[in-house]
Amino acid sequence: MDLTKYTRLARKALKLRSCGAVIVAAGSASRMGGINKVMAPLKGEPMIVHTVRAFEDCDAVKEIVIVTRQDLISPIAELCCCFSKVRAVVAGGSSRQESVCNGLRALSEEVELAAVQDGARPLVSWQLIDRVIRAANSYAAAIPAIPVKDTIKIVPDGLVEETPDRSQLRAVQTPQVFDIDLLRTALHHAEQTGAEVTDDCSAVELLGMKVKVVEGDERNLKVTTPFDLKIAEMLMEEEK
C-alpha cells in the first residue's frame, strides 16, 4: 500500500476548518522617516485597506481582527467599516507577541485556525492566503516563503564566519497560519521562557513542531522603508 499517496489523499479530503485572521499593524514604523506606513497612501487608499481587502476577498477567511496603535483604532475602524468580515479593531501591546495575543483574544470561539498577517504587506493576494490556510488545515502550521536570491553571510563581529548553502535558505512571509490552540501555547511558552522570536513560526518551532512551507509570492513584500513604498506603488501601477 502506498502510504504516502494515502496520506496525501486524506489531507485533501479534510474539511476546511474555520479560519480567523489577525492583521498586525501596531508597529512604530521607525524606518519610514516619520511616515505612518499602515496609513500611507497607496493607489489612492491607505495601505492597511489593501491588506484587509485581500483577506475579505478570501473565502477561507471567516473573520478579521486588526491590531493597531491606540491612536489609530478609530481611524482604521472607520476605514474598514465597509468590510463585512472585520470583527474588531483592538490595541496592540508592547511587543509583537503581545499584539498577536491581543488579536487572538478578539477572535470568536468558533475559530480553529489563526492566520497572522503583517499589516504592511499590502500586495498579499487572496490566492496566497488560501494556499497557506489549506496547508495549515492539513499540517496545523504553515508559512509562505520564497527562495533567497543573494548569498548570505553570517557576520557576528564584522568578520565573515560562515556562508550558508543558499539553496537551503528561504525568506519567510506572512500570512503564517496555525491551529489557534497551538499558536496560543507557542506564544505563551516563548513569553514564559523569555525567548526572543521574530515571527510566530519561530515560537511554534520552539515547541518542536514542524512547520509546512508553501510557495510564497515575490510581490508580497513588506513595506519597511520609503523605498519599499515606492516599489509597492510601482507594482500596483504595473498590475493596473
Side-chain angles (χ1 to χ4, degrees):
M1 182 179 182
D2 185 348
L3 290 178
T4 303
K5 181 180 180 181
Y6 175 79
T7 303
R8 189 163 56 244
L9 290 172
R11 281 179 173 147
K12 286 183 179 179
L14 284 176
K15 180 182 178 182
L16 188 60
R17 293 184 286 166
S18 177
C19 181
V22 174
I23 299 178
V24 184
S28 61
S30 57
R31 287 176 283 180
M32 284 295 290
I35 301 173
N36 188 332
K37 63 181 178 181
V38 296
M39 300 294 280
L42 189 60
K43 201 178 177 183
E45 294 179 302
M47 186 190 303
I48 188 65
V49 173
H50 294 280
T51 306
V52 175
R53 182 177 290 117
F55 284 82
E56 177 81 12
D57 291 344
C58 181
D59 291 341
V61 175
K62 302 308 178 186
E63 58 187 70
I64 301 167
V65 169
I66 305 166
V67 185
T68 190
R69 295 183 344 218
Q70 187 70 46
D71 61 308
L72 291 179
I73 290 178
S74 293
I76 288 180
E78 186 174 345
L79 282 170
C80 296
C81 65
C82 59
F83 297 120
S84 62
K85 293 180 183 178
V86 174
R87 175 181 172 87
V89 182
V90 301
S94 59
S95 66
R96 189 181 187 281
Q97 287 171 245
E98 190 177 340
S99 293
V100 173
C101 288
N102 289 355
L104 293 176
R105 280 192 288 269
L107 291 171
S108 68
E109 293 183 359
E110 290 74 29
V111 167
E112 298 175 276
L113 296 174
V116 183
Q117 168 73 9
D118 294 322
R121 290 187 186 269
L123 274 69
V124 65
S125 66
W126 71 261
Q127 292 92 338
L128 175 60
I129 298 166
D130 184 84
R131 187 157 67 240
V132 186
I133 290 173
R134 292 181 185 279
N137 193 59
S138 297
Y139 292 89
I143 59 172
I146 57 175
V148 172
K149 296 179 180 179
D150 296 326
T151 297
I152 304 298
K153 303 288 185 182
I154 296 177
V155 188
D157 299 304
L159 296 172
V160 175
E161 181 178 276
E162 185 182 350
T163 303
D165 180 4
R166 185 173 63 186
S167 67
Q168 302 297 311
L169 300 176
R170 297 292 182 272
V172 176
Q173 302 177 329
T174 64
Q176 299 185 359
V177 187
F178 310 94
D179 176 277
I180 193 167
D181 291 330
L182 170 64
L183 180 55
R184 284 174 174 145
T185 300
L187 293 174
H188 178 72
H189 176 260
E191 181 184 4
Q192 292 298 304
T193 58
E196 294 185 11
V197 293
T198 55
D199 68 351
D200 304 290
C201 179
S202 299
V204 171
E205 290 172 62
L206 288 174
L207 295 178
M209 181 76 182
K210 296 294 184 182
V211 179
K212 178 65 175 176
V213 178
V214 302
E215 181 183 358
D217 183 353
E218 287 190 342
R219 296 172 63 87
N220 183 27
L221 81 163
K222 184 178 181 180
V223 176
T224 305
T225 67
F227 181 70
D228 297 331
L229 186 60
K230 291 184 181 296
I231 293 175
E233 288 172 345
M234 286 189 293
L235 288 172
M236 281 192 163
E237 189 59 35
E238 182 183 83
E239 194 175 71
K240 180 182 176 181

